[in-house]
Amino acid sequence: MFIQVIQGKITDRDEVREAMDRWIRDLAPGAVGWLGSTAGVTDDGTFVALARFESPDAARRNSHRHEQEQWWTELSKLFTGEVTFHDCAATGTWMSGGSDDAGFVQIMHSRVRDLDGLRAWMDRADYGILTRHRPDILGGVWAAHGDGGMTEAVYFTSEAEARIGESQAPAPEMQAAMEEMQQFYEGNFTFLDLKDPWLASR
């Protein structure tokens, strides 16, 4: 799976939502290799999207379509400044991965000091611990930028249930797992809350 992460400040949330809906309706059927997308706008007007494709080549072919270029030209007018793009060939999922049933999605940006170690840890992790103690979490998707940066999306049943879950002290076994995982990261996380996530899959 290949993921492109797009982020920038926007001027009009409703217009951006209409543009995203139009892409799903009119352009997605012709986007060979498109798997799905997670997008939304935070309370401070930051738009973020994770577009999933089968491969880098599929994403590249889509970006070169005439109708895609026209659509992006119109959408780009709704941004107030720089738009950042991260093309991520190293990606993965945990638990059920991304879920279109999520009522709340939290995007996390971070720096990873040991990507190979983190991937190995994710592969052997006991997600039953998370299922038992945080039933509000449906799963997650991660995408490595290639320069040490990482974007992750965590999918929750709802914002209310996520807030309840995060307000509770973690059980010892879950705290231990979180501390073990933390060794692969460096610095602080940046969180973007999508309270009304726009979710679609092929």
Side-chain angles (χ1 to χ4, degrees), residues 112-133:
V112 176
R113 61 164 57 95
D114 181 2
L115 179 59
D116 290 339
L118 179 59
R119 295 180 76 161
W121 185 90
M122 288 181 173
D123 287 343
R124 68 173 186 270
D126 178 8
Y127 291 108
I129 296 174
L130 196 58
T131 301
R132 289 191 296 273
H133 298 290

Side-chain angles (χ1 to χ4, degrees), residues 10 14 99 101 103-105 115 120 127 139 141-143 159 171 195 197:
I10 54 96
D14 291 339
S99 174
D101 294 328
F104 175 64
V105 174
L115 179 59
Y127 291 108
V141 173
W142 61 267
E159 183 185 9
K195 299 179 179 180

Side-chain angles (χ1 to χ4, degrees), residues 15 18-20 22-23 26-27 61-79:
E15 284 193 61
E18 195 280 328
M20 295 299 292
R22 187 169 68 253
W23 193 94
D26 299 335
L27 277 72
R61 290 199 307 270
N62 176 69
S63 67
H64 291 161
R65 289 194 299 159
H66 177 64
E67 58 268 39
Q68 174 70 24
E69 293 175 348
Q70 285 186 315
W71 176 84
W72 175 251
T73 297
E74 293 302 314
L75 178 63
S76 64
K77 296 175 184 177
L78 302 177
F79 289 91

Side-chain angles (χ1 to χ4, degrees), residues 7-79:
Q7 184 172 320
K9 293 284 189 176
I10 54 96
T11 57
D12 189 310
R13 181 187 181 282
D14 291 339
E15 284 193 61
V16 172
R17 176 62 190 269
E18 195 280 328
M20 295 299 292
D21 288 345
R22 187 169 68 253
W23 193 94
I24 298 299
R25 182 183 66 246
D26 299 335
L27 277 72
V32 177
W34 174 75
L35 299 176
S37 63
T38 295
V41 178
T42 65
D43 287 345
D44 71 351
T46 299
F47 168 83
V48 61
L50 279 69
R52 307 186 303 277
F53 290 87
E54 291 178 351
S55 67
D57 184 59
R60 189 164 44 251
R61 290 199 307 270
N62 176 69
S63 67
H64 291 161
R65 289 194 299 159
H66 177 64
E67 58 268 39
Q68 174 70 24
E69 293 175 348
Q70 285 186 315
W71 176 84
W72 175 251
T73 297
E74 293 302 314
L75 178 63
S76 64
K77 296 175 184 177
L78 302 177
F79 289 91

Side-chain angles (χ1 to χ4, degrees), residues 80-172:
T80 60
E82 180 185 4
V83 183
T84 61
F85 296 84
H86 294 291
D87 291 334
C88 307
T91 67
T93 64
W94 48 270
M95 289 178 61
S96 64
S99 174
D100 290 351
D101 294 328
F104 175 64
V105 174
Q106 192 166 65
I107 305 296
M108 302 185 299
H109 296 311
S110 63
R111 301 289 299 177
V112 176
R113 61 164 57 95
D114 181 2
L115 179 59
D116 290 339
L118 179 59
R119 295 180 76 161
W121 185 90
M122 288 181 173
D123 287 343
R124 68 173 186 270
D126 178 8
Y127 291 108
I129 296 174
L130 196 58
T131 301
R132 289 191 296 273
H133 298 290
R134 291 293 304 272
D136 55 301
I137 297 177
L138 300 173
V141 173
W142 61 267
H145 301 173
D147 60 359
M150 172 85 84
T151 295
E152 300 175 68
V154 183
Y155 299 75
F156 299 86
T157 52
S158 70
E159 183 185 9
E161 291 172 328
R163 299 307 182 196
I164 292 172
E166 69 183 16
S167 69
Q168 299 172 345

